[in-house]
Amino acid sequence: MIYVKSENLKVGMRLAKPIYNKKGVLLYDRDDKITKQGIESVKNFGLIGLYILEPAEPLPPMSEEEIEFERFQTMAVFTLREDLDAIMRGEAPDNLMKQTNEIVSRFGNLYHKINFNQNLRSTEDYVYKHALNVAILSALIAHRAGLDVVKQTEVVVAALLHDVGKLSLKSELRGKMENLSEEETALVAKTAIIGVDKISNAFQMPAGVKSTLMQFCQLQYLPEKAPTAISESVRILVVANAYDEVTSMQLDVSPHTEVEAVRMLLDRPDLYDAEMVNHLLNSIKILYPGVCVELTNMEKGLVLRENDNDILRPVVLGFEHNQVYNMELDNVYSGIQIKNIMKTMDNRIKVDPERLKEYM
């Protein structure tokens, strides 16, 4: 699989991922050969490029849930872009509550973990895709935390709106998270407050949403002004925002893996509420059976059994010595640990279901 920018696409290339229009209608399926009309559609949609299969490469597996997740992401980003752009013009968003209700309905009542696959972002669409993913993660966490529908709705609305101020920044700064200069940091902090003002001027926010956004801005950018009592909604938003930022896929920026993100969240309980981090880890699949990993002894391995009590300590089959490492045991974990997850070209977790069947 390779990534090809829109300007380099050629007729006949095989698609690794489906293409949908903004209404979620399938235009081109996986393994379809792209046409001249398809290339024009890609450019008109503002897509920065596509994942393309090599000529003899087999189609990688995707579950129905993963396909539907990507379809929903595509539709929702189009809708959210229209709403956030309207707010920046001082106009009320038309579809904000409808989209919020759909996110809560889809993700706010699940009792199983989902595959949370990241989408590739450019500097132009970073804010929209980030806000949508944070809203989805917030709905998952809020449900696990036992929030009622009203509170779930408030935190999802806040998640969809929390970064709207960044749309006033130059595009190259919107998704920048590391190595910011003092001037850039101050500018980002300023736009966060501007964003809350923009929202207030565009439409009447519920009081709970405005309070969540203000607390979030203070925690993220003005810690000296942050309140001592942080609401559940804000604690959820902080965790969801951090996880998506760290694992996001951007052109020319290497994303951190899910394991690296988990370690970051667990290592900073002063910043990331441990209870909400735990709810996140109980909502998304990371080290589950079939996942390929790198171990600290330089061996490649396959996760055989997930550990719900400590996600970083699963049972793993090491390929080199064909040995099973039960990291739930302290004497095993003290010598061998998960170094990282092995990823595919499109940043999917590499899964080997056939090898898994041999050992289950």
Side-chain angles (χ1 to χ4, degrees):
M1 184 184 299
I2 57 174
Y3 181 78
V4 180
K5 291 186 176 181
S6 298
E7 59 267 26
N8 297 324
L9 290 171
K10 298 185 184 302
V11 172
M13 287 181 166
R14 296 165 59 223
L15 297 175
K17 291 188 175 186
I19 300 176
Y20 303 97
N21 67 12
K22 63 181 180 180
K23 293 183 178 180
V25 176
L26 180 67
L27 301 180
Y28 295 91
D29 206 349
R30 299 195 309 144
D31 209 24
D32 282 353
K33 292 182 178 179
I34 195 165
T35 63
K36 184 178 180 180
Q37 181 184 5
I39 293 174
E40 290 303 315
S41 297
V42 168
K43 294 176 180 177
N44 291 337
F45 289 165
L47 299 177
I48 52 182
L50 299 173
Y51 286 102
I52 299 295
L53 296 171
E54 300 277 15
E57 183 181 359
L59 190 66
M62 278 184 73
S63 68
E64 289 298 321
E65 186 177 56
E66 287 178 295
I67 292 172
E68 177 56 28
F69 184 80
E70 289 196 356
R71 176 179 172 274
F72 173 74
Q73 279 182 318
T74 301
M75 289 190 300
V77 166
F78 277 115
T79 303
L80 185 59
R81 181 192 289 265
E82 293 174 357
D83 279 349
L84 297 189
D85 287 351
I87 289 172
M88 293 302 290
R89 296 192 302 269
E91 302 169 6
D94 291 331
N95 299 295
L96 181 64
M97 292 313 302
K98 180 180 179 182
Q99 186 166 62
T100 296
N101 292 335
E102 183 165 8
I103 291 172
V104 171
S105 175
R106 281 176 176 263
F107 304 102
N109 58 8
L110 300 179
Y111 287 95
H112 68 275
K113 295 183 179 183
I114 68 167
N115 281 318
F116 186 77
N117 292 322
Q118 282 287 11
N119 43 13
L120 186 64
R121 304 168 192 180
S122 69
T123 54
E124 295 294 334
D125 63 16
Y126 179 89
V127 170
Y128 313 109
K129 289 182 176 179
H130 171 62
L132 174 65
N133 277 6
V134 173
I136 293 171
L137 291 171
S138 294
L140 292 168
I141 298 171
H143 169 59
R144 293 279 181 173
L147 271 64
D148 60 33
V149 174
V150 173
K151 288 293 184 181
Q152 283 187 44
T153 300
E154 286 184 355
V155 73
V156 170
V157 171
L160 291 171
L161 299 176
H162 80 283
D163 251 5
V164 68
K166 285 188 177 179
L167 292 174
S168 62
L169 294 170
K170 292 181 179 179
S171 59
E172 60 267 21
L173 194 54
R174 293 176 187 175
K176 188 176 181 182
M177 293 161 288
E178 298 177 348
N179 303 317
L180 273 74
S181 66
E182 288 186 13
E183 182 181 356
E184 288 173 336
T185 301
L187 187 58
V188 170
K190 182 179 179 181
T191 60
I193 305 301
I194 290 174
V196 178
D197 292 337
K198 285 276 188 182
I199 297 165
S200 298
N201 294 333
F203 72 106
Q204 186 66 41
M205 276 187 293
V209 173
K210 186 169 185 177
S211 174
T212 296
L213 289 173
M214 289 303 300
Q215 279 195 25
F216 176 79
C217 288
Q218 290 167 340
L219 276 175
Q220 293 290 102
Y221 307 112
L222 302 168
E224 69 279 1
K225 294 184 179 181
T228 53
I230 308 299
S231 70
E232 275 187 310
S233 296
V234 175
R235 289 185 280 133
I236 290 169
L237 186 54
V238 168
V239 170
N241 176 73
Y243 182 83
D244 184 74
E245 278 188 344
V246 171
T247 59
S248 64
M249 298 169 60
Q250 300 183 61
L251 282 179
D252 305 320
V253 179
S254 298
H256 294 282
T257 67
E258 289 80 357
V259 164
E260 291 168 334
V262 168
R263 288 194 176 113
M264 179 199 74
L265 295 174
L266 294 175
D267 289 346
R268 293 299 306 271
D270 56 319
L271 292 178
Y272 309 114
D273 183 83
E275 181 183 0
M276 299 310 170
V277 172
N278 186 55
H279 291 320
L280 171 67
L281 300 184
N282 285 328
S283 300
I284 57 177
K285 296 180 180 180
I286 298 178
L287 289 172
Y288 55 94
V291 168
C292 297
V293 295
E294 299 176 65
L295 304 176
T296 52
N297 66 350
M298 309 307 292
E299 198 173 353
K300 301 292 190 295
L302 182 77
V303 175
L304 297 180
R305 188 172 74 229
E306 190 175 12
N307 185 343
D308 289 328
N309 295 320
D310 189 338
I311 192 172
L312 298 176
R313 299 178 65 168
V315 177
V316 175
L317 168 70
F319 292 152
E320 186 172 341
H321 305 294
N322 203 37
Q323 182 176 347
V324 174
Y325 301 108
N326 184 354
M327 297 181 193
E328 297 174 1
L329 304 176
D330 291 340
N331 63 322
V332 176
Y333 187 71
S334 62
I336 298 176
Q337 299 172 18
I338 300 291
K339 182 179 179 182
N340 221 330
I341 294 178
M342 295 170 62
K343 309 287 283 191
T344 62
M345 172 66 187
D346 61 343
N347 204 40
R348 291 182 185 278
I349 296 173
K350 189 174 180 181
V351 177
D352 188 354
E354 295 305 316
R355 186 74 173 265
L356 177 64
K357 288 178 184 176
E358 298 176 20
Y359 292 89
M360 294 300 289

